[in-house]
Amino acid sequence: MSKAVVDLARALDFAARKHAHQRRKGHDAQPYVNHLADVARLVAVATEGRDATAVVAALLHDTIEDTDTKPSELTRVFGRRVAAIVAEVTDDRRLPRRVRKRLTSPPVGWPPKRQLEYLEWAAMVVAGCRGVNPWLERQFDAAYRAGLRKLRSSGPA
């Protein structure tokens, strides 16, 4: 039996239960677990399947921030390394919401100007990470261009 496969299944189950009643803020209001699965897929592809711990952490990345999960619970259930990765990507609630909010799907009702500001902010964040993973950069660049096209087709920002 593969420990990595079992760890991934445990993390998916844990995350799905913790986020069971949450929905995405985007137009489709998808189950939140879809976002977690998408992030885990991106990490799995970016690491070429070589880092199961990173994929486990990707599945759990919002548990501390958006559920009643404590860091100590993640440490106990998934180990120190996973808990440390999740803690590293968890928003610092001491910062103002505008600074710390990192949405991947704009909430319904965001005006085009706010959507453009978000795209520009995301581009600045990614600019600071360039050179780490070319595949992820291409994924972001394609999403960024698609977002700009959508905004341009919807009228003035």
Side-chain angles (χ1 to χ4, degrees), residues 34-53:
N34 291 10
H35 163 67
L36 304 174
D38 195 36
V39 172
R41 176 188 57 80
L42 287 170
V43 170
V45 173
T47 63
E48 298 178 342
R50 291 189 209 123
D51 193 343
T53 301

Side-chain angles (χ1 to χ4, degrees), residues 29-140:
Q30 295 180 8
Y32 199 80
V33 71
N34 291 10
H35 163 67
L36 304 174
D38 195 36
V39 172
R41 176 188 57 80
L42 287 170
V43 170
V45 173
T47 63
E48 298 178 342
R50 291 189 209 123
D51 193 343
T53 301
V55 179
V56 166
L59 285 167
L60 301 169
H61 80 272
D62 278 336
T63 53
I64 294 172
E65 188 174 319
D66 294 339
T67 75
D68 63 354
T69 304
K70 302 286 184 238
S72 59
E73 182 179 8
L74 284 184
T75 300
R76 181 174 40 77
V77 177
F78 296 100
R80 272 189 270 149
R81 184 161 179 243
V82 168
I85 294 169
V86 173
E88 185 69 27
V89 300
T90 297
D91 282 350
D92 184 345
R93 297 278 180 173
R94 296 170 295 183
L95 297 174
R97 180 183 171 112
R98 185 164 189 241
V99 172
R100 67 178 169 77
K101 200 59 187 157
R102 290 170 175 81
L103 301 171
T104 57
S105 176
V108 173
W110 268 17
K113 182 178 185 227
R114 177 63 182 104
Q115 291 179 40
L116 181 59
E117 289 170 354
Y118 175 73
L119 281 174
E120 291 170 349
W121 170 84
M124 287 189 301
V125 171
V126 171
C129 302
R130 295 263 176 203
V132 174
N133 188 296
W135 182 84
L136 280 177
E137 291 171 22
R138 289 190 301 273
Q139 300 306 302
F140 173 81

Side-chain angles (χ1 to χ4, degrees), residues 19-26 28-35:
H19 295 280
H21 301 292
Q22 297 175 354
R23 310 289 289 178
R24 296 290 289 154
K25 293 177 183 172
D28 296 338
Q30 295 180 8
Y32 199 80
V33 71
N34 291 10
H35 163 67

